[in-house]
């Protein structure tokens, strides 16, 4: 066990443009998306995929002089957490671990320290000023939605001016909005569904065992992104099953053509549609584009030396093995993202990759585990085995996603 007052060096890898991770295809429960800011995630689907090892070099294109993604986690119970769980009006019951019984709060008190430079401290007032009369939109799955909640909590909990008024609501069927008004200005933060249209777009009735996408249909979602000043994308875990049905036609049309497509191919089709939309619709002089790399899961405790039948349940310390990479990410999917973004660059459109994958891989202590709202009644069998219903995918807040937003903040102000 690492002493809390020590600096713990965890990651030293790659240049400022690359990182390597060990891949995976593994049994993975994961949450879908589309729910209100205080009504998050009800769905878990178990996937069985074949483990294999593939090396991945995932490159970005950053103008930073140092590598913000290589460094160490430092225990800091004076400056962190950056906000208090109970004081954030927009906290989700899926992510409020202390509210649902977690007593060890050390997961809230780790600060990310890059190896060769300092990570700028998140300044809510400065960010609000930068985004005066602007729109920032998070687009993606439930991990991206968690980052949206983190951003809203960082802002709402850090500004104490009575002139500021906050509003959060669901707009239409699939858009969650947070607006702050004051100083004769307004700032809008949105979370929207991922990339292309699917049968899971509804924020309530989306718990569907069979996932269907219209890989060439993006207008319904894309109209929310139009004219945004900052777009923050992610899209990984929702896709992770061996095959996904692709629809040519309308969901309302019984004569639509369906075809089961291998997951990587359907993902590639969706990203192609996404990149084509960006090339045509994004204002290059106005909109900044970001893509958050894959959020790791911690489903296999044997990977960090624990029992084979355990996962993140009861974990209160991070992984300390230098160079650790788990099997909770898929490098082939990330390679598709990288290739898509590199191809966009040749068309004159720059998308920054915020590389949160390996630095988050050390944080097996940061997941909700059993400490979240249970949407369904647990069986006696589940209650006797807490690991069976532990959430090792999402992240407690305050926690790891706050660091993702600190990295995003640094890029916005670079």
């Amino acid at each position: 066990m690492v002493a809390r007052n020590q600096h713990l060096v965890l990651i030293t890898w790659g240049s400022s443009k690359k990182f390597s991770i060990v891949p995976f295809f593994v049994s993975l429960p994961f949450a879908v998306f589309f729910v209100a800011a205080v009504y998050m995630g009800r769905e878990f689907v178990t996937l069985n995929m074949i483990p294999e090892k593939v090396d991945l070099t995932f490159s970005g294109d950053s103008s930073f002089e140092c590598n913000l993604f290589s460094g160490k986690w430092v225990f800091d119970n004076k400056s962190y957490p950056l906000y208090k769980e109970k004081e954030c009006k927009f906290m989700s019951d899926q992510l409020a671990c202390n509210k649902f019984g977690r007593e060890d709060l050390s997961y809230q008190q780790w600060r990310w320290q890059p190896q060769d430079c300092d990570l700028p401290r998140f300044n809510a007032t400065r960010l609000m000023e930068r985004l005066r009369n602007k729109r920032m939109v998070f687009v993606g799955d439930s991990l991206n939605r968690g980052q949206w909640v983190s951003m809203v909590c960082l802002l709402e909990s850090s500004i104490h001016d009575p002139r500021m008024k906050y509003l959060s609501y669901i707009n239409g069927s699939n858009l969650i909005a947070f607006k702050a008004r004051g100083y004769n200005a307004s700032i809008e933060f949105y979370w929207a569904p991922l990339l292309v249209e699917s049968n899971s777009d509804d924020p309530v009735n989306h718990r569907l065992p069979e996932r269907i996408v219209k890989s060439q249909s993006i207008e319904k979602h894309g109209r929310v992104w139009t004219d945004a000043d900052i777009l923050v994308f992610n899209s990984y875990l929702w896709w992770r099953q061996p095959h996904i049905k692709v629809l040519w036609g309308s969901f309302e049309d019984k004569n639509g053509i369906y075809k089961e497509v291998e997951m990587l191919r359907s993902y590639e089709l969706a990203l192609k549609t996404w990149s084509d939309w960006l090339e045509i619709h994004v204002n290059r002089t106005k909109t900044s584009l970001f893509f958050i790399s894959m959020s790791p899961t911690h489903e296999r405790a044997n990977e960090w030396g624990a029992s084979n039948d355990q996962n993140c349940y009861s974990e209160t310390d991070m992984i300390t093995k230098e160079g650790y990479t788990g099997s909770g990410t898929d490098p082939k999917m990330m390679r598709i993202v990288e290739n898509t973004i590199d191809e966009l660059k040749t068309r004159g459109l720059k998308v920054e990759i915020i590389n949160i994958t390996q630095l988050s891989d050390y944080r097996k202590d940061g997941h909700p585990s059993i400490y979240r709202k249970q949407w369904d009644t647990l069986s006696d069998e589940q209650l006797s085995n807490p690991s069976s219903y532990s959430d090792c995918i999402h992240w407690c807040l305050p926690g790891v996603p706050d660091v993702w937003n600190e990295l995003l903040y640094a890029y916005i102000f670079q």
Side-chain angles (χ1 to χ4, degrees), residues 169-176 201-203 223:
Y169 61 93
I170 298 179
N171 180 10
S173 64
N174 56 16
L175 180 66
I176 306 171
D201 284 357
D202 190 274
R223 64 173 180 251

Side-chain angles (χ1 to χ4, degrees), residues 78-91 96 98 105 107-108 152-154 156-158 160 397-399 402:
K78 294 182 179 180
S79 302
Y80 286 75
L82 298 177
Y83 56 90
K84 295 181 180 179
E85 177 187 304
K86 294 180 180 179
E87 294 179 359
C88 181
K89 300 180 181 69
F90 307 98
M91 180 59 65
N98 181 227
L105 301 182
Y107 66 89
Q108 301 181 355
V152 171
C153 289
L154 284 164
E156 185 263 344
S157 301
S158 301
H160 306 288
L397 289 179
D402 302 326

